[in-house]
Amino acid sequence: MTRTSTLRVLALWCAFLVVHLVTAWLGWVYPNQPMGDVVLVYEPWASSALGGGSIVGITETWVYPQLALLPMLLAAGLAAPLVALLGVSGAYLVGWATLVLVLDAVAFGVLVGRAPSRARRAAAWFWCGALLLLGPIALYRIDAITVPLAVIGGLWLASRPVVATALLTIGAWIKIWPGALVLAAVVALRARVRVLLTAVLVAAGVVVALLLLGADTEILGFLTEQAGRGLQIEAVAATPFLWLAAAGAARIDYSFEILTFQITAPGVETVAAALTPLMAFCVLAVTGIGAVKAVRGASFARLFPPLALTLVVLLIVTNKVGSPQFQTWLIAPVILWVVLDRVRARVPVVVVLALCLLTCLVYPLGYDALLRADALAVGVLTMRNALLLVLLVLGVRTLVRVPVSPPESRE
């Protein structure tokens, strides 16, 4: 490895560490409790499980897939030696940030390696920039645990499809979205049978383990819990209703059951009920386009990135929830796009970086104004949601234009 290459790698690691430390620190100074979920929700869940109380996902229905409890328990273990010094909440926050830092460092190491290509260096710089622009929400949410799993899994799909799929499937049992990368791999990868079989076996193993632990009706609780919820104010579909709220024709209410702010207005329930079927239809349609491209000989490097990103964006755009941490989902597929097809990834990189910045302006920086339905705050959120639609159109357009091989070249 040359001296220049060594300096480049060192610069990347310095940027990685500085960005994580700054982002973690911003969680303590930004308004509206960007670390709130960690100390108000994750820590009590972990304490209850460790203290012999109820175990979410096992003894009671939970909003997350069951493996999401594991990083919460790991954070509690990391926090234990610091409780006397920092108190329960402070120690748990440090434990959580440390866990995310370690997992991100492992994934960053896989991405960068010892002598990274130009594409991998660009992907690494993008990751650092996205974290810094998105702010504390990029670290202090359960979604942060799934990003490094998705990055490693995505990078290993072509060379280690079984291990990669296992990581992505485990990620989907923490937060559902990495399942979109598994679906994209089944379509785009030639080793699709191994990918599908691995995903099924890992999922079956998780279900068996949960049954042995005493879960039964709670196993799919993370799906049923979402079915009856309303339309969160930050969801893309809530945007027109938020403008009604700004005009005094709708209102913003807090759901103590779901622990989120939702919009209340005529027609909201109809829109919310239509979103899940719409999501299913759109995912099937996009998967179908990808499948046609795969059958006609499209390469993995050209097909997988836009297919994976489009599926992930669909999960956000057609969701009844619009939580700011959803933007972390976009980081992994864009990293993979840069690595596999750097030139065509330039526009998605710029769009996702802009989405991260706008999301931070919405939450935590402008959230008080948004809850008042202030027109400026609603306008910023509208820009963010419109840009998500632009990214969706961009992904579909790129997917449709993926070149295929003529039959004679595949013989």
Side-chain angles (χ1 to χ4, degrees):
M1 191 165 69
T2 65
R3 185 169 182 271
T4 300
S5 180
T6 301
L7 291 175
R8 285 172 175 169
V9 172
L10 182 61
L12 283 171
W13 276 107
C14 288
F16 170 89
L17 183 59
V18 169
V19 163
H20 276 76
L21 292 177
V22 169
T23 305
W25 170 73
L26 288 174
W28 296 83
V29 299
Y30 273 1
N32 294 302
Q33 294 185 308
M35 306 184 297
D37 279 18
V38 176
V39 291
L40 300 177
V41 185
Y42 302 169
E43 192 278 327
W45 281 335
S47 295
S48 176
L50 293 172
S54 61
I55 304 176
V56 286
I58 303 295
T59 61
E60 62 179 73
T61 303
W62 198 25
V63 71
Y64 295 133
Q66 284 81 353
L67 293 190
L69 185 60
L70 293 181
M72 298 175 190
L73 296 175
L74 286 173
L78 293 172
L82 303 174
V83 171
L85 180 64
L86 302 175
V88 174
S89 295
Y92 194 82
L93 284 170
V94 173
W96 182 268
T98 301
L99 177 61
V100 174
L101 174 63
V102 170
L103 291 176
D104 278 359
V106 173
F108 201 77
V110 172
L111 172 63
V112 172
R114 295 184 60 190
S117 64
R118 187 175 180 183
R120 286 181 177 252
R121 294 198 306 271
W125 284 115
F126 160 76
W127 192 355
C128 292
L131 285 178
L132 191 60
L133 290 174
L134 188 54
I137 203 70
L139 301 182
Y140 295 108
R141 289 296 187 273
I142 188 65
D143 308 70
I145 303 297
T146 59
V147 173
L149 294 178
V151 170
I152 299 172
L155 291 172
W156 284 354
L157 271 173
S159 59
R160 304 177 181 92
V162 172
V163 177
T165 304
L167 287 173
L168 292 173
T169 307
I170 290 170
W173 274 95
I174 295 174
K175 203 71 187 281
I176 296 173
W177 76 268
L181 302 190
V182 176
L183 180 58
V186 170
V187 171
L189 203 62
R190 290 188 177 182
R192 58 182 56 91
V193 174
R194 277 188 287 169
V195 169
L196 183 59
L197 185 59
T198 301
V200 170
L201 289 175
V202 172
V206 172
V207 170
V208 169
L210 292 174
L211 289 173
L212 292 174
L213 289 172
D216 41 60
T217 58
E218 293 81 12
I219 287 180
L220 297 180
F222 60 93
L223 296 177
T224 59
E225 281 287 288
Q226 301 285 349
R229 72 184 301 165
L231 194 60
Q232 188 182 353
I233 60 172
E234 294 153 273
V236 173
T239 307
F241 298 106
L242 267 184
W243 283 108
L244 289 178
R251 70 177 189 273
I252 295 172
D253 296 320
Y254 186 74
S255 170
F256 289 93
E257 182 181 355
I258 304 295
L259 304 178
T260 189
F261 288 95
Q262 300 180 163
I263 193 77
T264 301
V268 166
E269 292 182 359
T270 302
V271 171
L275 285 176
T276 300
L278 178 63
M279 179 189 293
F281 172 80
C282 291
V283 167
L284 287 174
V286 168
T287 303
I289 295 172
V292 170
K293 292 288 183 177
V295 169
R296 296 178 63 188
S299 68
F300 175 78
R302 291 294 299 272
L303 177 58
F304 178 78
L307 178 58
L309 181 61
T310 303
L311 289 172
V312 171
V313 176
L314 272 176
L315 295 183
I316 300 173
V317 169
T318 59
N319 209 310
K320 290 186 285 187
V321 184
S323 299
Q325 60 266 28
F326 285 9
Q327 306 310 307
T328 61
W329 304 359
L330 303 172
I331 294 175
V334 172
I335 286 174
L336 300 176
W337 198 337
V338 174
V339 170
L340 293 171
D341 193 8
R342 179 172 59 88
V343 174
R344 294 172 186 84
R346 289 173 180 171
V347 176
V349 162
V350 173
V351 173
V352 171
L353 290 175
L355 281 167
C356 290
L357 175 60
L358 288 171
T359 299
C360 186
L361 294 177
V362 171
Y363 183 88
L365 297 181
Y367 206 60
D368 285 336
L370 183 64
L371 295 180
R372 298 193 303 268
D374 177 82
L376 179 59
V378 174
V380 174
L381 178 59
T382 300
M383 291 174 58
R384 197 283 304 270
N385 288 344
L387 202 55
L388 278 170
L389 293 173
V390 169
L391 186 61
L392 177 60
V393 172
L394 174 67
V396 172
R397 180 187 178 191
T398 306
L399 183 61
V400 170
R401 294 184 173 185
V402 169
V404 296
S405 303
E408 55 271 16
S409 68
R410 286 178 265 145
E411 294 177 356

